[in-house]
Coordinates of all heavy atoms in Angstrom, one line a residue:
N67 N 13.6 22.6 -1.8 CA 14.8 22.5 -2.6 C 16.0 22.9 -1.9 O 17.0 22.6 -2.5 CB 14.6 23.3 -3.8 CG 14.1 22.7 -5.1 OD1 13.0 22.1 -4.8 ND2 14.8 22.7 -6.1
N70 N 19.1 20.8 -2.2 CA 18.7 19.8 -3.4 C 20.0 19.2 -3.9 O 20.1 18.0 -4.1 CB 17.9 20.5 -4.4 CG 17.9 20.0 -5.7 OD1 18.2 18.8 -5.9 ND2 17.2 20.6 -6.6
I86 N 19.6 29.1 -7.5 CA 18.2 29.0 -7.8 C 17.6 27.5 -7.7 O 16.6 27.4 -7.2 CB 18.0 29.4 -9.4 CG1 16.5 29.5 -9.7 CG2 18.7 28.7 -10.4 CD1 16.1 30.4 -10.9
T87 N 18.3 26.5 -7.8 CA 17.8 25.2 -7.7 C 18.0 24.8 -6.2 O 17.5 23.7 -5.8 CB 18.6 24.2 -8.5 OG1 20.0 24.3 -8.3 CG2 18.3 24.3 -10.0
H94 N 13.5 31.9 -4.2 CA 13.5 31.4 -5.5 C 12.9 32.2 -6.6 O 13.2 32.4 -7.6 CB 13.0 30.0 -5.4 CG 12.7 29.3 -6.8 ND1 11.5 29.4 -7.4 CD2 13.5 28.8 -7.7 CE1 11.5 28.7 -8.6 NE2 12.8 28.4 -8.9
R98 N 14.4 33.7 -9.9 CA 13.8 33.3 -11.2 C 13.3 34.5 -12.0 O 13.6 34.6 -13.2 CB 12.7 32.4 -10.9 CG 12.3 31.5 -12.1 CD 11.7 30.2 -11.9 NE 11.0 29.8 -13.0 CZ 11.4 28.7 -13.8 NH1 12.3 28.0 -13.2 NH2 10.8 28.4 -14.8
F105 N 16.3 34.4 -20.5 CA 15.8 33.1 -21.3 C 14.6 33.4 -22.2 O 14.0 32.5 -22.7 CB 15.6 32.0 -20.4 CG 16.8 31.4 -19.6 CD1 17.2 32.0 -18.4 CD2 17.6 30.4 -20.2 CE1 18.2 31.5 -17.8 CE2 18.7 30.0 -19.6 CZ 19.0 30.5 -18.3
I149 N 26.2 28.2 -24.0 CA 26.0 28.8 -22.6 C 27.0 30.0 -22.3 O 26.6 31.0 -21.6 CB 26.2 27.7 -21.5 CG1 25.6 28.3 -20.2 CG2 27.4 27.0 -21.4 CD1 24.1 28.6 -20.2
A237 N 24.3 24.2 -15.4 CA 23.1 23.6 -15.8 C 22.9 23.4 -17.3 O 22.3 22.5 -17.8 CB 22.1 24.7 -15.3
G238 N 23.7 24.3 -18.0 CA 23.5 24.3 -19.5 C 24.3 23.3 -20.3 O 24.1 23.0 -21.4
S241 N 24.2 18.5 -19.2 CA 22.8 17.9 -19.6 C 22.5 17.8 -21.1 O 22.2 16.8 -21.5 CB 21.8 18.7 -18.7 OG 21.9 20.0 -19.0
T242 N 22.7 18.9 -21.7 CA 22.4 19.0 -23.0 C 23.3 18.2 -23.9 O 22.9 17.5 -24.9 CB 22.4 20.6 -23.6 OG1 21.6 21.4 -22.7 CG2 21.9 20.7 -25.0
T245 N 22.4 14.7 -23.7 CA 21.3 14.3 -24.3 C 21.5 14.2 -25.8 O 21.0 13.2 -26.5 CB 20.1 15.5 -24.1 OG1 19.9 15.7 -22.7 CG2 18.8 15.1 -24.7
R289 N 14.9 16.5 -2.8 CA 14.0 17.5 -2.0 C 14.2 17.1 -0.5 O 14.5 16.0 -0.2 CB 12.5 17.4 -2.4 CG 12.2 17.8 -3.9 CD 12.4 19.1 -4.2 NE 11.9 19.5 -5.5 CZ 12.7 19.7 -6.6 NH1 13.9 19.5 -6.5 NH2 12.1 20.2 -7.7
A341 N 12.0 15.2 -18.2 CA 13.5 15.4 -18.2 C 13.8 16.9 -17.7 O 14.9 17.0 -17.1 CB 14.0 15.3 -19.7
F342 N 13.0 17.9 -18.0 CA 13.3 19.2 -17.5 C 12.6 19.6 -16.1 O 12.7 20.7 -15.8 CB 12.8 20.3 -18.5 CG 13.6 20.3 -19.9 CD1 12.9 20.1 -21.1 CD2 14.9 20.4 -20.0 CE1 13.5 20.1 -22.4 CE2 15.6 20.4 -21.1 CZ 14.8 20.3 -22.4
G343 N 12.2 18.6 -15.5 CA 11.6 18.7 -14.2 C 10.2 19.1 -14.5 O 9.5 19.0 -15.5
H347 N 10.2 24.8 -10.5 CA 11.7 24.8 -10.9 C 11.9 24.3 -12.2 O 13.0 23.9 -12.5 CB 12.5 23.8 -9.9 CG 12.5 24.5 -8.5 ND1 13.6 25.3 -8.2 CD2 11.8 24.4 -7.4 CE1 13.5 25.8 -7.0 NE2 12.5 25.2 -6.4
C349 N 12.9 23.6 -15.8 CA 14.1 24.1 -16.4 C 13.9 25.4 -17.1 O 13.2 25.6 -18.0 CB 14.7 23.0 -17.3 SG 16.2 23.6 -18.1
G351 N 16.2 26.6 -19.0 CA 16.9 26.5 -20.3 C 16.2 25.6 -21.2 O 16.9 25.1 -22.3
S355 N 17.7 24.6 -24.8 CA 18.2 23.2 -24.9 C 17.5 22.4 -26.1 O 18.4 21.7 -27.0 CB 18.0 22.5 -23.6 OG 18.6 21.3 -23.6
Ligands
HEM401 C1 18.8 18.5 -21.9 C2 19.1 19.6 -21.1 C3 18.7 19.9 -19.8 C4 18.1 19.1 -18.8 C5 17.8 17.6 -19.0 C6 17.9 19.9 -17.8 C7 17.1 19.4 -16.6 C8 16.8 20.4 -15.6 C9 15.9 19.9 -14.4 C10 15.6 18.5 -14.1 C11 15.7 21.0 -13.7 C12 14.8 21.1 -12.4 C13 15.7 20.9 -11.1 C14 14.8 20.8 -9.9 O1 13.5 20.7 -10.0 O2 15.3 20.8 -8.8 C15 16.4 22.1 -14.4 C16 16.4 23.4 -13.9 C17 17.1 24.4 -14.4 N1 17.8 24.4 -15.5 FE1 18.0 22.9 -16.9 N2 18.2 21.2 -17.9 C18 18.8 21.3 -19.3 C19 19.3 22.3 -19.9 C20 19.4 23.6 -19.4 C21 20.0 24.7 -20.0 C22 20.5 24.7 -21.5 C23 20.1 25.7 -19.1 C24 20.7 27.0 -19.5 C25 21.5 27.6 -18.7 C26 19.5 25.3 -17.9 C27 19.2 25.9 -16.8 C28 18.4 25.6 -15.8 C29 18.1 26.4 -14.6 C30 18.6 28.0 -14.5 C31 17.3 25.7 -13.7 C32 16.8 26.2 -12.4 C33 15.3 26.6 -12.5 C34 14.7 26.7 -11.1 O3 15.3 26.2 -10.1 O4 13.9 27.6 -11.1 N3 19.1 23.9 -18.1 N4 16.9 21.7 -15.4

Side-chain angles (χ1 to χ4, degrees):
N67 266 55
N70 167 2
I86 187 165
T87 54
H94 171 260
R98 202 158 161 113
F105 290 91
I149 191 67
S241 47
T242 311
T245 304
R289 300 290 190 259
F342 291 124
H347 288 276
C349 178
S355 185

